[in-house]
């Protein structure tokens, strides 16, 4: 067994692969005045909740940007976790395994996406403390669907039909709220994650966010909407 060289307990892993096709150089594209990756790094550092803040990437330019804003890039991704089919789970497992080879083990991890400018140090503090104070394996930020999925319609044989006809006459306010992943970060106990090998299973604690704090960024239109939201929340920008 490898002897532990340092007693490091918490790690923030920012997953920033190169080669974005829909938005070229997405992870380092300027967002309201600085590379979007910088927001995730700065929030993690400012939270003071992590012994290490590192960026997992396969791209040298992303690596240089990460270091410029204060993150560590101690190694680059393997070919297996750099392709279009590699999952976030694959990347996290590789990072944790590589650190263990170097004699460093973490009890708690936080995966932060590189295009998450709405992540703040306060959210990360609340998330880490919330998980530690619970018996959960993972904490996931979520936001409510803006329209009840129970009232969803689908097209079959060129006609609209209710997917769930039992809710046809239900009032929206009477239906149970449904939530979806906010796509910003995940806090997890590494032992449970390495056993399950995925984040979205097990004992999961929610952190509910408002719709204003959440924006998927998969297209240039999404990017523009995210900047509008961010500037509204931060008029000094």
């Amino acid at each position: 067994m490898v002897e532990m060289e340092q007693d490091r307990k918490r790690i923030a892993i920012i997953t920033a692969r190169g080669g974005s096709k829909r938005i070229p150089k997405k992870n380092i594209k300027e967002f309201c005045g600085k590379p979007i990756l910088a927001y995730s790094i700065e929030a993690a550092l400012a939270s003071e909740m992590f012994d290490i803040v590192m960026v997992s990437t396969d791209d040298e330019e992303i690596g240089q940007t990460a270091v410029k804003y204060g993150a560590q890039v101690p190694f680059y991704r393997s070919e297996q976790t750099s392709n279009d089919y590699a999952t976030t789970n694959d990347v996290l497992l590789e990072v944790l395994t590589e650190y263990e080879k170097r004699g460093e083990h973490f009890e708690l991890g936080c995966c932060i996406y590189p295009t998450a400018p709405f992540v703040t140090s306060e959210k990360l503090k609340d998330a880490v403390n919330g998980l530690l104070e619970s018996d959960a394996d993972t904490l996931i930020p979520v936001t409510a669907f803006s329209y009840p999925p129970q009232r969803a319609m689908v097209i079959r044989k060129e006609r609209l039909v209710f997917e769930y006809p039992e809710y046809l006459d239900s009032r929206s306010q009477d239906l149970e709220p449904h939530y979806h992943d906010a796509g910003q970060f995940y806090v997890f106990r590494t032992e449970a994650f390495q056993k399950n090998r995925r984040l979205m299973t097990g004992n999961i604690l929610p952190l509910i966010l408002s719709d204003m704090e959440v924006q998927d960024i998969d297209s240039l239109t999404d990017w523009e909407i995210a900047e509008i939201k961010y500037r509204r929340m931060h008029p000094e920008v």
Side-chain angles (χ1 to χ4, degrees):
M1 181 177 180
V2 178
E3 183 179 351
M4 299 301 171
E5 294 177 356
Q6 299 185 48
D7 186 25
R8 289 174 171 168
K9 300 298 182 184
R10 301 176 188 169
I11 183 171
I13 303 167
I14 301 169
T15 57
R17 185 172 73 94
S20 175
K21 296 178 176 62
R22 287 176 291 189
I23 304 177
K25 295 190 176 182
K26 174 182 178 180
N27 292 329
I28 53 175
K29 178 178 169 64
E30 184 175 298
F31 181 95
C32 292
K34 59 187 172 185
I36 196 166
L37 172 63
Y39 293 88
S40 298
I41 296 171
E42 290 176 345
L45 292 171
S47 74
E48 299 183 338
M49 300 301 287
F50 308 105
D51 299 290
I52 288 180
V53 175
M54 68 87 67
V55 169
S56 170
T57 187
D58 59 331
D59 184 277
E60 186 175 344
E61 189 175 4
I62 291 175
Q64 291 172 351
T65 302
V67 171
K68 176 182 177 180
Y69 284 91
Q72 298 181 27
V73 186
F75 48 83
Y76 282 79
R77 291 191 191 183
S78 66
E79 290 185 12
Q80 289 77 12
T81 57
S82 299
N83 61 51
D84 292 337
Y85 303 101
T87 67
T88 296
N89 295 318
D90 296 331
V91 174
L92 298 179
L93 287 167
E94 180 179 75
V95 168
L96 294 174
T97 299
E98 183 59 35
Y99 270 106
E100 287 181 350
K101 289 178 182 177
R102 298 168 180 230
E104 297 183 272
H105 175 74
F106 303 93
E107 292 182 359
L108 183 141
C110 180
C111 169
I112 308 175
Y113 286 133
T115 53
F118 300 103
V119 172
T120 64
S121 59
E122 290 77 16
K123 283 182 190 175
L124 293 174
K125 286 179 184 177
D126 289 345
V128 170
N129 289 328
L131 181 64
L132 292 175
E133 292 167 4
S134 76
D135 64 350
D137 298 326
T138 308
L139 179 145
I140 297 179
V142 295
T143 192
F145 282 97
S146 59
Y147 188 83
Q150 299 95 321
R151 299 294 303 277
M153 292 182 281
V154 295
I155 298 175
R156 296 198 177 114
K157 297 180 179 180
E158 300 183 354
R159 296 293 183 271
L160 279 175
V161 296
F162 274 89
E163 178 72 356
Y164 309 105
E166 63 270 31
Y167 297 113
L168 178 61
D169 296 319
S170 299
R171 299 189 309 166
S172 297
Q173 60 267 39
D174 295 333
L175 298 173
E176 180 182 12
H178 281 50
Y179 298 88
H180 63 86
D181 179 6
Q184 295 185 1
F185 66 91
Y186 314 97
V187 182
F188 57 95
R189 300 183 194 274
T190 59
E191 183 177 358
F193 171 65
Q194 289 174 304
K195 179 181 179 180
N196 296 327
R197 303 185 71 79
R198 59 180 61 191
L199 292 170
M200 299 291 187
T201 59
N203 186 353
I204 302 174
L205 184 70
L207 176 65
I208 300 174
L209 305 180
S210 71
D211 182 66
M212 189 63 186
E213 302 172 90
V214 177
Q215 178 63 46
D216 283 337
I217 304 179
D218 294 323
S219 68
L220 288 175
T221 299
D222 293 337
W223 192 283
E224 292 170 1
I225 293 171
E227 286 193 313
I228 291 170
K229 284 186 175 183
Y230 188 87
R231 288 194 171 101
R232 183 172 179 182
M233 295 171 67
H234 301 274
E236 72 281 3
V237 173

